[in-house]
Amino acid sequence: MEDREGLNPPPQAALALAEAAAIGFTLSCDDQTGSLLRTLAASKPGGHFLELGTGVGYSTSWLLAGMDPASRLVTVEKNLSHNRIAIKHLGHDPRVSFVTGDAAKFIAELLSPEENMAGKLDFIFADTAPGKLTLLEEVLSLVKPGGLFLVDDMLPKAEFNFMPDPRYIELTNRLENHPDFFITKLNWASGLIIATRKV
Ligand SMILES: C[S@@+](CC[C@H](N)C(=O)[O-])C[C@H]1O[C@@H](n2cnc3c(N)ncnc32)[C@H](O)[C@@H]1O
């Protein structure tokens, strides 16, 4: 089995990637991760999804491809030019809301008494520093029992001579030892951890 073939990316994914290349943006997830996002998204019909770090919408397009018509996704990105590309290709989809702003601020809003979203989200893809390297506990508190939390880019990178990053080691330790989640670590693609809140 060749796990990088036959993944059938959604058409919007290629459009977003082409524009990402034009602006020199290289941080979109890989196709394997996209395919996993799509597969897991399809397991949450009617789900409430959150993506932290839209980028140009590459991972967003995979999530939307897996979501059913009743599911809803909010995706947060602070860089306006990244966001413009994502909105250009995916903004027609009524299931997704784009937030242009700081993910840390948005997380605080979700946990405010007015929004009161703790324990209400089915799926979080945390792909920027807030919610992954900072505010981890806050973001995990948003996940409902049986809900999923996913991070990628957990493996040491070639551009840093494969030196382990202490921030990612700490994140791994915290998830490994979290009393409220089961986790699976995948030494695959960029390195993934999938966590599910225990029921
Ligand atoms: C790894 S990229 C996201 C890639 C995207 N999820 C994908 O796989 O296609 C991280 C993104 O987070 C954005 N970002 C960085 N800090 C942020 C913050 N504090 N709040 C919101 N977005 C942030 C960056 O501009 C960048 O587009």
Side-chain angles (χ1 to χ4, degrees):
M1 180 176 73
E2 173 46 67
D3 60 2
R4 292 180 209 189
E5 288 177 4
L7 299 178
N8 303 317
Q12 294 87 350
L15 298 172
L17 264 201
E19 290 207 41
I23 64 165
F25 180 76
T26 58
L27 299 179
S28 301
C29 71
D30 50 68
D31 284 1
Q32 290 165 291
T33 302
S35 74
L36 181 64
L37 289 172
R38 181 175 60 187
T39 299
L40 295 176
S43 76
K44 300 287 181 196
H48 290 97
F49 292 71
L50 172 65
E51 178 178 53
L52 300 169
T54 315
V56 297
Y58 190 70
S59 49
T60 319
S61 68
W62 285 92
L63 284 166
L64 287 167
M67 288 163 48
D68 77 342
S71 293
R72 295 291 176 267
L73 166 66
V74 178
T75 181
V76 188
E77 169 61 53
K78 76 172 182 187
N79 183 304
L80 196 54
S81 50
H82 299 170
N83 228 356
R84 279 206 189 102
I85 296 172
I87 291 169
K88 177 175 164 188
H89 296 295
L90 300 168
H92 63 278
D93 191 323
R95 299 171 300 163
V96 58
S97 304
F98 293 92
V99 175
T100 308
D102 180 23
K105 189 165 167 275
F106 190 72
I107 292 163
E109 284 169 16
L110 289 177
L111 290 169
S112 68
E114 296 76 38
E115 297 276 344
N116 190 25
M117 290 301 289
K120 295 189 180 158
L121 298 186
D122 295 276
F123 190 121
I124 299 176
F125 178 39
D127 201 18
T128 194
K132 184 173 180 181
L133 303 178
T134 63
L135 300 176
L136 176 67
E137 204 51 50
E138 286 83 349
V139 164
L140 290 176
S141 76
L142 294 164
V143 180
K144 68 163 63 158
L148 296 168
F149 171 87
L150 190 144
V151 286
D152 69 350
D153 289 327
M154 297 302 294
L155 291 174
K157 299 198 178 354
E159 60 261 43
F160 301 119
N161 282 333
F162 299 104
M163 287 292 289
D165 183 332
R167 300 171 306 164
Y168 287 79
I169 294 171
E170 190 196 333
L171 171 59
T172 305
N173 287 337
R174 288 179 68 181
L175 289 170
E176 281 171 348
N177 294 302
H178 202 294
D180 300 328
F181 285 82
F182 292 121
I183 70 159
T184 292
K185 296 179 282 182
L186 296 175
N187 198 340
W188 174 82
S190 65
L192 305 172
I193 299 182
I194 307 171
T196 309
R197 181 177 282 283
K198 298 175 188 173
V199 176

